[in-house]
Amino acid sequence: MDVLYQYSFSLHMNEIKVQLTKDGSHTLFNTALDDSYHAHNGAISESQHVYIEAGFAALEKHFKQVNILELGFGSGMNAILTLQSALATTGKIERPIYYTSIEAYPLSIEIISQLNYKDQLSTELAHLFHMLHRASWNCDVEIIPGFTLHKVHGKLQDFQTSKDDFNLIYYDAFAPSKQPELWTQNNFDKIIKLMEKEGMLVSYCANGQFKRNLKAAGFTVKAYPGALGRREMTRAWKE
């Protein structure tokens, strides 16, 4: 896809504000939704705790490939931290990662270029962060050997795929009070059908109705200590 066309459906600068969080990393604030992309107590710290430590790093080792489905590509934070974690030990991907991310409102390169994440990443990871955002939509893109990204421009409600072997879900939508349509029962009924047994879902959210919807869909739900002063986050499994 042509780069200019790729970002023609992006959010505009007047809808998004760059803000500094307490750990020194940036978050983005969506003025239309009156909600931020990450925690104000620490953008990188929150994502590292919720999606990497409680999710990616905790995924059962018997999965020979990690198939991730993310709701909300957003700033690319979860994707680059996943790459960072995967490369940390040997400098290469030991378990292949197929990373699918659904995003209805992609951010423009103009917005992404204002984020200070590259200042907190190695030179290699800063380059990979750029590649994640430059990758074409709606097709497989090999970022590095062992890490394939598939960004989907669309909504979860309309998402269709032939894959039914996702084993890790990053559920990183805006808060239920801001985007209630993304936290309905139908969404979790749909997601669980796309997952392998023993696959895990992780989310910063610990909303009671969210957890009841997960249980009704067939997930086993367990509370987990939240990030940066939050009492809880959510982890759930397909048994």
Side-chain angles (χ1 to χ4, degrees):
M1 182 184 294
D2 183 84
V3 170
L4 292 177
Y5 174 74
Q6 177 179 343
Y7 292 101
S8 66
F9 45 72
S10 300
L11 292 172
H12 298 295
M13 281 296 296
N14 60 0
E15 297 171 317
I16 300 294
K17 306 298 181 185
V18 178
Q19 298 180 340
L20 191 66
T21 68
K22 289 183 179 179
D23 70 359
S25 60
H26 280 148
T27 188
L28 296 168
F29 187 82
N30 185 313
T31 58
L33 290 174
D34 191 32
D35 202 5
S36 62
Y37 281 67
H38 307 287
H40 287 289
N41 280 339
I44 287 180
S45 300
E46 178 194 40
S47 291
Q48 181 70 29
H49 175 86
V50 175
Y51 300 103
I52 306 306
E53 294 171 10
F56 180 72
L59 188 67
E60 291 293 340
K61 299 302 182 184
H62 67 76
F63 291 118
K64 294 181 179 180
Q65 176 165 313
V66 182
N67 295 322
I68 298 171
L69 176 62
E70 175 186 47
L71 184 63
F73 184 73
S75 67
M77 173 80 78
N78 296 332
I80 193 60
L81 291 181
T82 300
L83 261 171
Q84 182 182 55
S85 179
L87 293 169
T89 302
T90 63
K92 62 181 181 179
I93 304 292
E94 298 295 334
R95 271 197 298 182
I97 300 168
Y98 187 90
Y99 196 110
T100 301
S101 188
I102 304 171
E103 178 58 66
Y105 305 105
L107 296 165
S108 69
I109 287 295
E110 184 181 6
I111 294 171
I112 295 302
S113 66
Q114 296 186 43
L115 297 172
N116 66 359
Y117 302 157
K118 61 181 179 296
D119 300 329
Q120 302 187 38
L121 298 169
S122 67
T123 301
E124 178 190 10
L125 284 168
H127 175 66
L128 294 179
F129 180 71
H130 180 76
M131 290 180 63
L132 293 171
H133 283 282
R134 286 291 186 181
S136 295
W137 291 81
N138 302 314
C139 63
D140 289 357
V141 178
E142 186 181 68
I143 303 299
I144 58 173
F147 188 98
T148 299
L149 176 66
H150 189 114
K151 296 190 298 186
V152 177
H153 174 223
K155 298 181 178 181
L156 175 61
Q157 298 92 316
D158 302 321
F159 177 59
Q160 295 183 352
T161 179
S162 59
K163 290 179 68 64
D164 61 359
D165 60 351
F166 291 107
N167 45 41
L168 182 57
I169 309 294
Y170 291 165
Y171 210 85
D172 199 18
F174 285 109
S177 61
K178 305 298 182 179
Q179 283 190 312
E181 70 277 9
L182 295 179
W183 301 86
T184 62
Q185 182 70 59
N186 290 341
N187 289 334
F188 305 113
D189 290 341
K190 180 175 186 173
I191 284 174
I192 199 167
K193 293 176 182 176
L194 303 177
M195 296 179 67
E196 287 190 88
K197 287 186 177 181
E198 299 185 58
M200 178 169 54
L201 178 150
V202 288
S203 178
Y204 70 91
C205 182
N207 175 281
Q209 187 59 55
F210 167 47
K211 291 188 283 189
R212 288 189 289 273
N213 287 344
L214 286 171
K215 290 175 183 177
F219 284 95
T220 297
V221 180
K222 296 182 181 180
Y224 190 82
L228 308 174
R230 291 193 182 193
R231 188 168 62 88
E232 292 182 0
M233 56 166 279
T234 298
R235 296 205 296 182
W237 288 264
K238 178 178 180 177
E239 300 293 348

